[in-house]
Amino acid sequence: MTVKESLLYTSKTDDRGRMRAVTNNLILHFHPTKVAKPALRFSYTWGLGGISTLLAMILVITGVLLMFRYDASVDRAYTSIQTMETEVLFGSLIRATHHWSANLLIITAFLHMLRVFFSGGFKKGRATNWLVGLALLLLVIAFNFTGYLLPWDQLAYWAITVGTSLLDYVPLVGSAISGFLLAGPEVGQGALRNFYAIHVAVLPAILVVLMSYHFWKVRKDGGISQPVNRPTGADGKRQRAERVTTIPYLVQIELAATAVVVTVLLLFAMFTPAPLEALANPNHPPNPAKAAWYFMGLQELLLHMHPLAAMLLPGIVLMGMAFIPYWDKQEDNIGVYFRSKVGKRTAATGALLGLIVVPLLVMVDEYYLDLPALLPNWPTLISNGLVPLLLSLAALVFIYFLFRLLYKANQSEALTGLISFIIVGFILLTLVGVYFRGANMALTLLV
Ligand code: HEM
């Protein structure tokens, strides 16, 4: 039976045919009937948008199941999690699946953003979806942050204490936001109640709106981006990409990816339970007290600069990321990874520079450099804040123009190199924070 026949299917006698018609109908509510063949190439998207969608769906399902047993009270939250782990049928597996999907979603959404950037998927009318995507990434982080507190163990309590104290440094609005979140002078019942409400009601509502808009916009933009430099036909015009039916060509890839992701995730969750440390104890801070891993890049920056500068630097970079579609408008390299040969060179050099310069700077600042001591008459806001902030921004500008001059790179290619540098630098700062900071946040890199 063809797709068309199955959609027109009306017989009441053949249940399988009816099921197929209903399923096809449902699929075609979410997908167009045809998609461009090059868009199906796995090595173009790596399925990362779809995998992020699948993880979001798994999170909603497992999250609702967890809600049946979880109790958002400082006296009972921890024991409700313990009960879930030991007494509820499949409780431990459901909690582990929720926990690991949430962490994985940060990674897949981040990688999806990199795929979109490096393949130029934000160009040609896709700027809005790039911005919505950035909002989705921040939303996913907010989900993880608010969920982190709920088990009410030592890990949760101190990571959120550190995390909300980072928020305090955000200029203008930071302390108002952390004041609202905590609903008191420190992490306590008010914070747990607020985090829970935000985690299970506010953020899901925003997620549904943003994700629906994100998907609708992909369809409205004519599907995902396509290489524009397709071969020309006999008439001298660019050939149109071949189109194939969504059923079965796209759907079979989605089903295969779903089967792999769900299997790997469940196997991992079976053998790696979600962490649960001792009950939260406000009088007993761990040493070192670290934020959640996805904030460790920020916490690492705080060790090197005045808090205001440490918040401003990633803030400025994030704003720069939002401007990317207005900065790089060159359309003849859409769908080509890293834009061109020159783009590949700038990207590789940017990544290599990040790999060398960032760990080097971390070590120099840790062991040798003391800006406030070097500039004793200046207030620390300037010596340890404005000075390193301006130096960092100047370094980014320098790297951009280095690519323009050294490789004769155009705007698009130079930006590719600059973003490679920033991404590698950010990942390294996070890794240093997570793995190489010991007691009192001292560097353990050379120990
Ligand atoms: C919860 C997070 C996200 C989900 C579930 C999601 C989902 C998707 C899906 C399913 C697609 C179409 C298929 C694909 O390209 O893989 C897509 C495309 C797109 N996404 Fe996302 N996305 C998310 C986050 C982001 C982020 C962080 C960005 C960038 C900052 C972004 C920007 C875009 C853009 C511009 C497109 C169109 C790409 C093209 O035409 O090549 N998305 N997204």
Coordinates of all heavy atoms in Angstrom, one line a residue, residues 44-54 56 105 108-110 112-117 119-123 126-140 207 211 214-215 217-218 221 223-226 254 321 334, ligand 1:
Y44 N 25.1 15.2 7.8 CA 24.9 16.6 7.7 C 24.4 17.2 9.0 O 24.9 18.2 9.5 CB 23.9 17.0 6.5 CG 23.7 18.5 6.3 CD1 24.8 19.3 6.2 CD2 22.4 19.0 6.4 CE1 24.6 20.7 6.1 CE2 22.2 20.4 6.2 CZ 23.3 21.2 6.1 OH 23.2 22.6 6.0
T45 N 23.3 16.5 9.5 CA 22.8 17.0 10.8 C 23.2 16.2 12.0 O 23.0 16.7 13.1 CB 21.2 16.9 10.8 OG1 20.9 15.6 10.6 CG2 20.6 17.8 9.6
W46 N 23.7 15.0 11.8 CA 24.0 14.1 12.9 C 22.8 13.8 13.7 O 22.9 13.3 14.9 CB 25.2 14.6 13.7 CG 26.4 14.9 12.9 CD1 26.8 16.1 12.5 CD2 27.3 13.9 12.4 NE1 27.9 16.0 11.7 CE2 28.3 14.7 11.6 CE3 27.5 12.5 12.5 CZ2 29.3 14.1 10.9 CZ3 28.5 11.9 11.8 CH2 29.4 12.7 11.0
G47 N 21.7 14.1 13.2 CA 20.4 13.8 13.9 C 20.3 14.5 15.2 O 19.5 14.2 16.1
L48 N 21.1 15.6 15.4 CA 21.2 16.2 16.8 C 19.9 16.9 17.2 O 19.5 16.9 18.4 CB 22.4 17.1 16.8 CG 23.7 16.3 16.9 CD1 24.9 17.2 16.5 CD2 23.9 15.7 18.2
G49 N 19.2 17.6 16.2 CA 18.0 18.3 16.6 C 16.9 17.2 17.0 O 16.2 17.4 18.0
G50 N 16.9 16.1 16.2 CA 15.9 15.1 16.5 C 16.2 14.4 17.8 O 15.3 14.1 18.6
I51 N 17.5 14.1 18.0 CA 17.9 13.4 19.3 C 17.5 14.3 20.5 O 17.0 13.9 21.5 CB 19.4 13.0 19.3 CG1 19.6 12.0 18.2 CG2 19.8 12.5 20.7 CD1 21.0 11.6 18.0
S52 N 17.7 15.7 20.3 CA 17.4 16.6 21.4 C 15.9 16.5 21.7 O 15.4 16.6 22.8 CB 17.8 18.0 21.1 OG 19.2 18.1 20.8
T53 N 15.1 16.5 20.6 CA 13.6 16.4 20.7 C 13.2 15.1 21.4 O 12.4 15.1 22.4 CB 13.0 16.4 19.3 OG1 13.5 17.4 18.5 CG2 11.5 16.6 19.4
L54 N 13.9 14.0 21.1 CA 13.6 12.7 21.7 C 13.9 12.8 23.2 O 13.1 12.3 24.0 CB 14.4 11.6 21.0 CG 14.3 10.2 21.7 CD1 12.9 9.6 21.5 CD2 15.4 9.3 21.0
A56 N 14.0 15.4 25.1 CA 13.0 16.2 25.8 C 11.7 15.4 26.0 O 11.1 15.6 27.1 CB 12.7 17.5 24.9
L105 N 21.0 16.0 27.2 CA 20.3 17.1 26.4 C 21.1 18.3 26.3 O 21.2 19.0 25.3 CB 18.9 17.3 27.0 CG 18.1 18.4 26.3 CD1 17.9 18.1 24.8 CD2 16.7 18.5 26.9
T108 N 23.7 17.5 23.7 CA 23.2 17.3 22.3 C 22.7 18.7 21.8 O 22.9 19.0 20.6 CB 22.1 16.3 22.1 OG1 21.0 16.6 23.0 CG2 22.5 14.9 22.5
A109 N 22.1 19.5 22.6 CA 21.6 20.8 22.2 C 22.8 21.7 21.8 O 22.8 22.4 20.8 CB 20.7 21.5 23.2
F110 N 23.9 21.6 22.6 CA 25.1 22.4 22.4 C 25.7 21.9 21.1 O 26.1 22.7 20.2 CB 26.0 22.1 23.6 CG 27.3 22.9 23.5 CD1 27.4 24.2 23.7 CD2 28.5 22.2 23.2 CE1 28.6 24.9 23.6 CE2 29.7 22.9 23.1 CZ 29.8 24.3 23.3
H112 N 24.2 20.4 18.6 CA 23.3 20.8 17.5 C 23.6 22.3 17.1 O 23.6 22.6 15.9 CB 21.9 20.6 18.0 CG 20.8 21.2 17.1 ND1 20.6 20.8 15.8 CD2 19.8 22.1 17.4 CE1 19.6 21.5 15.3 NE2 19.1 22.3 16.3
M113 N 23.8 23.1 18.2 CA 24.1 24.5 17.9 C 25.4 24.6 17.1 O 25.5 25.4 16.1 CB 24.3 25.3 19.2 CG 24.7 26.7 19.0 SD 25.0 27.5 20.6 CE 26.7 27.0 20.9
L114 N 26.4 23.8 17.4 CA 27.7 23.8 16.7 C 27.5 23.4 15.3 O 28.0 23.9 14.3 CB 28.7 22.9 17.4 CG 29.2 23.3 18.7 CD1 30.4 22.5 19.2 CD2 29.6 24.8 18.8
R115 N 26.7 22.3 15.1 CA 26.4 21.8 13.7 C 25.7 22.9 12.9 O 26.1 23.2 11.8 CB 25.5 20.6 13.9 CG 24.7 19.9 12.8 CD 24.2 20.6 11.6 NE 22.7 20.6 11.7 CZ 22.0 21.4 10.8 NH1 22.6 22.1 9.9 NH2 20.7 21.4 10.9
V116 N 24.7 23.6 13.5 CA 24.0 24.7 12.8 C 25.0 25.8 12.4 O 25.1 26.3 11.3 CB 22.8 25.2 13.6 CG1 22.3 26.5 12.9 CG2 21.8 24.1 13.8
F117 N 25.9 26.1 13.4 CA 26.8 27.2 13.1 C 27.8 26.8 12.0 O 28.0 27.5 11.0 CB 27.6 27.6 14.4 CG 28.7 28.6 14.0 CD1 28.4 29.9 13.7 CD2 30.0 28.2 14.0 CE1 29.4 30.8 13.3 CE2 31.0 29.1 13.6 CZ 30.7 30.4 13.2
S119 N 27.7 24.6 9.7 CA 27.2 24.3 8.4 C 26.4 25.5 7.8 O 25.8 25.4 6.8 CB 26.3 23.1 8.4 OG 25.2 23.3 9.1
G120 N 26.5 26.6 8.6 CA 25.8 27.8 8.1 C 24.3 27.7 8.1 O 23.6 28.4 7.3
G121 N 23.7 26.8 8.9 CA 22.3 26.6 9.0 C 21.5 27.8 9.5 O 20.2 27.7 9.6
F122 N 22.1 28.8 9.9 CA 21.4 30.0 10.5 C 21.2 31.1 9.5 O 20.7 32.1 9.8 CB 22.3 30.6 11.7 CG 23.6 31.0 11.2 CD1 23.9 32.2 10.7 CD2 24.7 30.1 11.4 CE1 25.2 32.6 10.3 CE2 26.0 30.4 10.9 CZ 26.2 31.7 10.4
K123 N 21.6 30.8 8.2 CA 21.6 31.9 7.2 C 20.3 31.8 6.4 O 19.5 30.9 6.5 CB 22.7 31.7 6.3 CG 24.1 31.8 7.0 CD 25.2 31.7 6.0 CE 26.5 31.7 6.7 NZ 27.7 31.8 5.8
R126 N 17.0 32.2 8.4 CA 16.9 31.3 9.6 C 17.4 32.0 10.8 O 17.6 31.3 11.8 CB 17.7 30.0 9.3 CG 17.0 29.2 8.2 CD 17.7 27.9 8.0 NE 17.0 27.0 7.1 CZ 16.9 27.1 5.8 NH1 17.6 28.0 5.2 NH2 16.2 26.2 5.1
A127 N 17.6 33.3 10.8 CA 18.1 34.0 12.0 C 17.2 33.9 13.2 O 17.6 33.7 14.3 CB 18.3 35.5 11.6
T128 N 15.8 33.9 12.9 CA 14.9 33.8 14.0 C 15.1 32.5 14.7 O 15.1 32.4 15.9 CB 13.4 34.0 13.5 OG1 13.4 35.0 12.5 CG2 12.5 34.3 14.6
N129 N 15.2 31.4 13.9 CA 15.3 30.1 14.5 C 16.6 30.0 15.2 O 16.7 29.2 16.2 CB 15.1 29.0 13.5 CG 14.1 28.1 13.9 OD1 13.4 28.3 14.9 ND2 13.9 27.0 13.1
W130 N 17.6 30.7 14.8 CA 18.9 30.6 15.5 C 18.7 31.3 16.9 O 19.1 30.7 17.9 CB 20.0 31.4 14.7 CG 21.3 31.7 15.4 CD1 21.6 32.8 16.1 CD2 22.4 30.7 15.6 NE1 22.9 32.7 16.6 CE2 23.4 31.4 16.4 CE3 22.6 29.4 15.2 CZ2 24.6 30.8 16.7 CZ3 23.8 28.8 15.6 CH2 24.8 29.5 16.3
L131 N 18.0 32.4 17.0 CA 17.7 33.1 18.2 C 16.9 32.2 19.1 O 17.1 32.1 20.3 CB 17.1 34.4 18.0 CG 18.0 35.4 17.3 CD1 17.2 36.7 17.0 CD2 19.2 35.7 18.1
V132 N 15.8 31.6 18.5 CA 14.9 30.7 19.3 C 15.8 29.5 19.9 O 15.6 29.1 21.0 CB 13.8 30.2 18.5 CG1 12.9 29.2 19.2 CG2 12.9 31.3 18.0
G133 N 16.7 29.0 19.0 CA 17.6 27.9 19.5 C 18.4 28.3 20.6 O 18.5 27.6 21.6
L134 N 19.0 29.5 20.6 CA 19.8 30.0 21.7 C 19.0 30.0 23.0 O 19.4 29.6 24.1 CB 20.4 31.4 21.4 CG 21.6 31.5 20.6 CD1 22.1 32.9 20.5 CD2 22.8 30.7 21.2
A135 N 17.7 30.5 22.8 CA 16.8 30.6 24.0 C 16.5 29.2 24.5 O 16.5 28.9 25.7 CB 15.5 31.3 23.6
L136 N 16.4 28.2 23.6 CA 16.2 26.8 24.0 C 17.3 26.3 24.8 O 17.2 25.6 25.8 CB 15.9 26.0 22.7 CG 14.5 25.9 22.2 CD1 14.4 25.2 20.9 CD2 13.6 25.1 23.2
L137 N 18.5 26.6 24.3 CA 19.7 26.1 25.0 C 19.8 26.7 26.5 O 20.0 25.9 27.4 CB 21.0 26.6 24.3 CG 22.3 26.0 24.8 CD1 22.4 24.5 24.7 CD2 23.5 26.6 24.0
L138 N 19.4 28.0 26.6 CA 19.4 28.6 28.0 C 18.3 27.9 28.8 O 18.5 27.7 30.0 CB 19.2 30.1 27.9 CG 20.3 30.9 27.2 CD1 19.9 32.4 27.2 CD2 21.6 30.7 27.9
L139 N 17.2 27.6 28.1 CA 16.1 27.0 28.8 C 16.5 25.6 29.3 O 16.1 25.2 30.5 CB 14.9 26.8 27.8 CG 13.6 26.5 28.4 CD1 13.0 27.7 29.2 CD2 12.6 26.1 27.4
V140 N 17.2 24.8 28.5 CA 17.6 23.5 28.9 C 18.5 23.6 30.1 O 18.5 22.8 31.0 CB 18.4 22.8 27.7 CG1 19.1 21.6 28.1 CG2 17.4 22.5 26.6
L207 N 9.0 25.7 27.3 CA 9.6 24.7 26.4 C 8.6 24.3 25.2 O 9.0 24.3 24.1 CB 10.0 23.5 27.1 CG 10.8 22.4 26.3 CD1 12.2 22.8 26.1 CD2 10.7 21.0 26.9
M211 N 9.7 25.1 21.5 CA 10.0 24.0 20.6 C 8.9 24.0 19.5 O 9.3 23.7 18.3 CB 10.0 22.7 21.4 CG 11.4 22.4 21.8 SD 11.7 20.9 22.8 CE 10.9 19.6 22.0
H214 N 10.0 26.5 17.1 CA 11.3 26.1 16.4 C 11.0 25.1 15.3 O 11.4 25.3 14.2 CB 12.1 25.4 17.5 CG 13.6 25.3 17.1 ND1 14.4 26.4 16.8 CD2 14.4 24.2 17.1 CE1 15.6 26.0 16.6 NE2 15.7 24.6 16.7
F215 N 10.1 24.1 15.5 CA 9.8 23.1 14.5 C 9.0 23.8 13.4 O 9.2 23.5 12.2 CB 9.0 22.0 15.1 CG 9.7 21.2 16.2 CD1 9.0 20.6 17.2 CD2 11.1 21.2 16.2 CE1 9.7 20.0 18.2 CE2 11.8 20.6 17.3 CZ 11.0 19.9 18.3
K217 N 9.0 26.8 12.4 CA 9.8 27.7 11.6 C 10.7 26.9 10.7 O 11.0 27.3 9.6 CB 10.7 28.5 12.6 CG 11.3 29.7 12.0 CD 10.3 30.8 11.7 CE 10.9 32.1 11.1 NZ 11.5 32.0 9.8
V218 N 11.2 25.7 11.1 CA 12.0 24.9 10.2 C 11.2 24.6 9.0 O 11.6 24.7 7.8 CB 12.5 23.6 10.9 CG1 13.1 22.6 9.9 CG2 13.5 23.9 12.0
D221 N 10.6 27.7 6.8 CA 11.8 28.1 6.1 C 12.1 27.1 5.0 O 13.2 27.1 4.4 CB 13.0 28.1 7.0 CG 12.9 29.3 8.0 OD1 12.1 30.2 7.8 OD2 13.5 29.2 9.1
G223 N 12.2 23.6 5.2 CA 13.0 22.5 5.7 C 14.3 23.0 6.1 O 14.6 24.2 6.1
I224 N 15.2 22.1 6.5 CA 16.5 22.5 6.9 C 17.4 23.0 5.8 O 17.0 22.7 4.6 CB 17.3 21.4 7.8 CG1 17.6 20.2 6.9 CG2 16.5 21.0 9.0 CD1 18.7 19.4 7.5
S225 N 18.4 23.7 6.1 CA 19.2 24.4 5.1 C 19.8 23.4 4.1 O 20.1 22.2 4.4 CB 20.4 25.1 5.7 OG 21.1 24.2 6.5
Q226 N 20.0 23.8 2.9 CA 20.6 22.9 1.8 C 21.8 23.6 1.3 O 21.9 24.8 1.2 CB 19.6 22.9 0.7 CG 18.3 22.2 1.0 CD 18.5 20.8 1.4 OE1 19.1 20.1 0.7 NE2 18.0 20.4 2.6
E254 N 14.6 8.2 11.5 CA 14.2 8.7 12.9 C 13.9 7.5 13.8 O 14.3 7.5 15.0 CB 12.9 9.5 12.8 CG 13.1 10.9 12.2 CD 11.9 11.8 12.1 OE1 10.8 11.2 12.1 OE2 12.0 13.0 12.0
M321 N 27.1 35.9 20.0 CA 26.5 34.7 19.3 C 25.1 35.0 18.7 O 24.7 34.5 17.6 CB 26.3 33.5 20.3 CG 27.6 33.0 21.0 SD 28.5 31.9 20.0 CE 27.6 30.4 20.1
I334 N 26.4 28.1 2.4 CA 25.5 27.4 3.2 C 25.6 25.9 2.9 O 25.8 25.5 1.8 CB 24.0 27.9 2.9 CG1 23.9 29.4 3.3 CG2 23.0 27.1 3.7 CD1 22.5 29.9 3.0
Ligands
HEM1 C1 16.0 21.7 23.0 C2 16.9 22.1 22.1 C3 16.6 22.0 20.6 C4 15.8 21.2 19.9 C5 14.9 20.1 20.4 C6 16.0 21.5 18.5 C7 15.4 20.8 17.4 C8 15.7 21.0 16.1 C9 15.3 20.2 15.0 C10 14.5 18.9 15.1 C11 15.7 20.7 13.8 C12 15.6 20.2 12.4 C13 16.6 19.0 12.2 C14 18.1 19.3 12.5 O1 18.6 20.3 12.1 O2 18.7 18.5 13.3 C15 16.4 22.0 14.2 C16 16.9 22.9 13.3 C17 17.5 24.1 13.7 N1 17.8 24.5 14.9 FE1 17.4 23.5 16.6 N2 16.9 22.5 18.4 C18 17.3 22.9 19.7 C19 18.2 23.8 20.0 C20 18.8 24.7 19.1 C21 19.9 25.6 19.3 C22 20.7 25.7 20.7 C23 20.2 26.3 18.2 C24 21.2 27.4 17.9 C25 21.5 28.3 18.8 C26 19.2 25.9 17.2 C27 19.1 26.4 15.9 C28 18.4 25.7 14.9 C29 18.4 26.2 13.5 C30 19.0 27.5 13.0 C31 17.8 25.2 12.7 C32 17.7 25.1 11.2 C33 19.0 24.5 10.7 C34 19.1 24.3 9.3 O3 18.2 24.8 8.5 O4 20.1 23.8 8.8 N3 18.4 24.9 17.7 N4 16.3 22.1 15.6

